[in-house]
Amino acid sequence: MTDITIKKAAVDLGIAEDAYRFMLADFMPDNFESVSKVPLDVADLVAKAMLAKTEGQALAPMADDSSLSISDQHSIISGVNNTLADFCESIVIESHNLTTAIAFIAAKRNAANFRHTYESVFSDEVGKYVDELSLALAMTAQKINDTTSNDFLSQRGITPRQPSTSKAVEEILNLAANI
């Protein structure tokens, strides 16, 4: 699946990059400070958790079409909640920024899914075409091998004439044989 840079995701949400990284501390404790990209599913969940928190709602992990496990979702949601609680004075969140970021991430995911689907369909159809072309070429080659020159002529209504030797040629051959 397609990734998004931490910097871009933070800018889209209207928060500092360090705050965004801190939200990922529970999810990726070993490299949250150095990671440069995250999958779109992670960025989408961060944005949804932030939106839910700003609207005073709780977001629970769910088994949906996300590639994230329930425990990973819980880690990310917990990280968002903890970060917002720890940095609430310094983070000003506008729900418009969050909904725009969610729309952007959803559009990017849909584009990636469409590209994958298109590539799969296209390569499948090209494969079918190549198979059909190979079969047609093999059948044509077989027909060419099976057809003789007399068959070719008779299909076009041409009857080959039997070679006729003239008397002069016969006499020359007889003389040549006698020498």
Side-chain angles (χ1 to χ4, degrees):
M1 177 151 277
T2 308
D3 294 341
I4 186 169
T5 64
I6 297 285
K7 184 174 186 169
K8 173 77 172 135
V11 167
D12 288 346
L13 293 174
I15 62 173
E17 190 176 336
D18 290 340
Y20 194 93
R21 289 178 181 285
F22 191 65
M23 290 178 187
L24 300 175
D26 291 343
F27 175 63
M28 42 181 56
D30 296 335
N31 64 343
F32 76 95
E33 294 172 329
S34 62
V35 70
S36 61
K37 292 181 179 183
V38 292
L40 284 177
D41 286 346
V42 172
D44 188 33
L45 186 58
V46 168
K48 286 179 182 177
M50 286 181 67
L51 183 61
K53 188 71 172 175
T54 59
E55 293 176 346
Q57 300 172 355
L59 181 66
M62 62 179 100
D64 59 359
D65 61 347
S66 173
S67 64
L68 299 170
S69 68
I70 297 292
S71 64
D72 286 345
Q73 291 180 43
H74 181 69
S75 296
I76 293 169
I77 293 169
S78 173
V80 169
N81 291 338
N82 292 340
T83 301
L84 291 176
D86 292 345
F87 297 105
C88 64
E89 306 88 36
S90 62
I91 298 177
V92 177
I93 300 171
E94 296 178 22
S95 63
H96 173 72
N97 286 353
L98 294 173
T99 54
T100 302
I102 290 171
F104 170 76
I105 291 167
K108 193 167 181 180
R109 181 184 302 123
N110 286 339
N113 289 343
F114 176 76
R115 191 187 90 225
H116 172 73
T117 302
Y118 178 77
E119 286 173 350
S120 298
V121 169
F122 183 76
S123 65
D124 183 56
E125 289 301 317
V126 167
K128 287 178 185 175
Y129 173 74
V130 167
D131 291 344
E132 289 173 9
L133 181 62
S134 297
L135 180 62
L137 290 173
M139 289 172 57
T140 302
Q142 185 63 41
K143 284 182 181 179
I144 289 171
N145 285 338
D146 292 346
T147 304
T148 64
S149 58
N150 286 339
D151 293 338
F152 178 80
L153 294 172
S154 66
Q155 288 172 356
R156 282 146 187 82
I158 301 170
T159 336
R161 291 185 345 170
Q162 294 298 327
S164 62
T165 55
S166 66
K167 277 220 179 240
V169 172
E170 284 181 18
E171 287 179 20
I172 292 172
L173 290 174
N174 286 335
L175 285 173
N178 292 333
I179 301 182

